[in-house]
């Protein structure tokens, strides 16, 4: 599973807008996968609802919860659009993205709680990655909140766009820098 490789990766972002510089680190945990994969939408499938999100992730990796079981859900179509792009999440993060400071008040009809919005591409498909603080009241440590393809709603409209000054991809276990992007 591609997401499993990200558990040992962190991305450090430095972004700016109108002279204001923001820095944050994006990290990955097993429990984050549940929501970004859309498993929370499968309310008719007990195997993805019972137990901790970490335990469910481990069951998916081990094959105890299979793709076939997930596809048998009556609600599969509500989350299936996320799965193909999710296999390319690392690629999306490694490439240049549009970065916005997400203001929830601009999209009052949406229930998404997020600090930042990244808009990227998987092939020719535009995708949204919403980031939120991992620790309450601390925007310096972010996690993936939700991830899905762009549809008829443009979540970036009205959101303040930031310039990416620097991005580093780091292997957490060794501290090795895997990727560095600096604005020229």
């Amino acid at each position: 599973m591609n997401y499993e490789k990200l558990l040992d990766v962190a991305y450090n972002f430095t972004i700016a807008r109108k002279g204001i510089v923001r820095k944050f680190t994006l990290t990955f945990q097993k429990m984050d996968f549940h929501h970004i994969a859309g498993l929370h939408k499968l309310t008719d499938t007990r195997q993805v609802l019972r137990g901790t999100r970490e335990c469910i992730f481990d069951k998916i990796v081990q094959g105890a919860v299979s793709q076939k079981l997930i596809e048998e859900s009556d609600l599969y179509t509500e989350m299936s659009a996320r799965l193909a792009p999710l296999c390319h999440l690392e690629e999306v993060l490694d490439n240049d993205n549009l970065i916005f400071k997400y203001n929830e008040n601009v999209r009052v009809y949406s229930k998404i709680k997020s600090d930042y919005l990244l808009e990227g591409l998987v092939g020719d498909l535009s995708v949204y990655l919403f980031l939120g603080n991992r620790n309450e009241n601390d925007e310096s440590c972010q996690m993936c909140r939700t991830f899905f393809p762009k549809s008829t709603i443009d979540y970036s409209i009205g959101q303040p766009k930031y310039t990416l000054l620097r991005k580093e991809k780091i292997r957490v276990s060794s501290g090795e820098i895997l990727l560095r992007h600096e604005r020229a």
Side-chain angles (χ1 to χ4, degrees):
M1 173 187 293
N2 292 345
Y3 183 85
E4 190 175 21
K5 293 188 295 185
L6 290 172
L7 297 175
D8 190 32
V9 171
Y11 288 86
N12 293 325
F13 288 85
T14 303
I15 60 176
R17 176 183 161 90
K18 296 184 178 181
I20 297 173
V21 175
R22 295 177 180 267
K23 295 181 179 188
F24 63 89
T25 300
L26 172 61
T27 60
F28 304 87
Q29 292 181 6
K30 291 178 181 181
M31 68 181 196
D32 304 340
F33 180 79
H34 198 272
H35 196 81
I36 64 172
L39 296 175
H40 63 288
K41 294 183 177 284
L42 303 182
T43 56
D44 63 341
T45 307
R46 293 174 48 103
Q47 290 87 337
V48 298
L49 297 175
R50 284 195 350 230
T52 66
R53 291 179 173 194
E54 294 90 346
C55 183
I56 294 166
F57 178 84
D58 288 338
K59 287 179 181 179
I60 291 170
V61 170
Q62 296 162 0
V65 173
S66 67
Q67 176 75 22
K68 182 180 180 211
L69 176 75
I70 291 169
E71 289 174 358
E72 289 173 351
S73 167
D74 292 335
L75 303 168
Y76 175 70
T77 56
E78 291 187 31
M79 56 81 72
S80 61
R82 298 176 185 221
L83 295 182
L86 183 56
C87 293
H88 301 279
L89 178 59
E90 184 173 14
E91 176 186 326
V92 169
L93 288 165
D94 286 353
N95 292 326
D96 291 334
N97 301 296
L98 298 175
I99 300 178
F100 303 88
K101 178 75 173 112
Y102 191 69
N103 180 351
E104 298 166 13
N105 296 325
V106 172
R107 297 280 169 247
V108 292
Y109 55 83
S110 174
K111 295 180 182 178
I112 297 172
K113 302 290 183 206
S114 180
D115 296 318
Y116 296 98
L117 166 62
L118 277 64
E119 186 175 341
L121 290 172
V122 172
D124 60 354
L125 178 68
S126 290
V127 292
Y128 290 125
L129 175 61
F130 291 84
L131 307 179
N133 56 350
R134 186 168 296 287
N135 306 311
E136 194 172 330
N137 301 321
D138 180 9
E139 282 189 20
S140 67
C141 188
Q142 295 286 308
M143 62 183 272
C144 296
R145 284 269 189 233
T146 191
F147 178 74
F148 52 85
K150 184 176 182 179
S151 62
T152 56
I153 300 171
D154 188 341
Y155 285 90
S156 67
I157 292 176
Q159 304 295 343
K161 183 178 172 185
Y162 276 71
T163 300
L164 178 65
L165 300 178
R166 182 181 183 141
K167 176 171 49 176
E168 287 184 335
K169 177 182 179 182
I170 298 168
R171 184 172 320 284
V172 175
S173 60
S174 67
E176 173 189 6
I177 296 174
L178 303 170
L179 174 128
R180 178 177 283 142
H181 168 83
E182 292 195 53
R183 185 163 186 220

